[in-house]
Amino acid sequence: MILRCTKKLLEVLRPAQMAAPEPDDDDWYANLLWFDRRKCLLLTHVATLFTVFEPDIRTANLRPVHPLVTYLIERELRAEGLPSEAFGDLRSGPFILAKTADRSVVGCMNDMAFLCDHHVFEAGSLADMDLRTLNHRLHRNINSSRDYHRPIDLVSARVAASGARAPDRRGRGQGTRCAPLRGG
């Protein structure tokens, strides 16, 4: 997994070393936002613009950043009824921190940050906003740079193309369904 961080986030993370991998559609971008004097994390997948917002992040939560990022992405995939492997196995394999490489993705993230700001403003404060509703909106925010497709639709198409099955929303395990009751 490659996590491309904005300068603001890199200043907080202070990585010992930085890689310079070639940009890829499977990269993730991360930005640090501030609302109500609290740090918030915004994550965005390059190919789909699937975005995750997490409020009230502490610096200690960001070190190491890999477990937090994978947890947040998988949490949002589960919330949408998608398999946690929709973006591949994010937990295994190398984890690379890098600088941002695509200004159009950063621009889309700025638009999403504005959407987050508006949502927090509507709620009255960061503490009063509904995180689930905000992330739901972010997953459905259309963007011209992805031919006006919603991120959730792009991820769903990706899952369908891979042949993966969505988890059972009732929490009974992937693909497990109860047999319907028969009248008698």
Side-chain angles (χ1 to χ4, degrees):
M1 173 180 194
I2 297 173
L3 183 66
R4 295 188 176 275
C5 304
T6 61
K7 187 176 178 181
K8 279 193 285 189
L9 183 55
L10 287 172
E11 287 173 0
V12 171
L13 295 176
R14 290 186 251 147
Q17 59 185 149
M18 292 285 294
E22 287 295 314
D24 188 87
D25 280 349
D26 279 327
D27 292 352
W28 283 86
Y29 276 55
N31 192 8
L32 195 62
L33 307 174
W34 290 84
F35 295 108
D36 296 345
R37 294 196 262 176
R38 297 287 192 190
K39 290 184 202 88
C40 302
L41 187 64
L42 191 68
L43 302 167
T44 301
H45 182 254
V46 170
T48 63
L49 295 181
F50 186 83
T51 299
V52 177
F53 177 80
E54 183 65 13
D56 203 14
I57 294 289
R58 300 184 193 286
T59 301
N61 300 126
L62 294 169
R63 295 185 187 142
V65 71
H66 186 211
L68 175 66
V69 167
T70 55
Y71 166 77
L72 294 174
I73 294 166
E74 289 172 354
R75 177 192 74 193
E76 289 307 312
L77 289 169
R78 279 191 309 274
E80 292 291 356
L82 295 167
S84 60
E85 300 84 24
F87 297 108
D89 185 1
L90 301 175
R91 294 186 181 272
S92 66
F95 179 76
I96 300 167
L97 283 177
K99 293 179 181 178
T100 60
D102 187 338
R103 291 191 326 206
S104 71
V105 175
V106 174
C108 291
M109 288 182 77
N110 288 336
D111 290 344
M112 290 178 228
F114 181 76
L115 182 71
C116 294
D117 185 39
H118 180 71
H119 189 78
V120 171
F121 177 78
E122 279 183 329
S125 72
L126 188 62
D128 294 329
M129 69 122 199
D130 182 356
L131 179 62
R132 180 68 210 118
T133 298
L134 174 56
N135 277 315
H136 185 81
R137 285 182 184 175
L138 289 170
H139 303 160
R140 285 152 182 79
N141 184 46
I142 60 171
N143 195 294
S144 63
S145 66
R146 299 301 176 266
D147 295 326
Y148 299 97
H149 293 289
R150 301 179 319 163
I152 191 71
D153 296 335
L154 294 172
V155 177
S156 295
R158 182 183 175 108
V159 168
S162 74
R165 291 176 45 174
D168 184 348
R169 287 185 162 216
R170 294 172 291 192
R172 296 183 185 166
Q174 188 168 346
T176 305
R177 300 272 185 215
C178 290
L181 295 175
R182 299 194 188 252

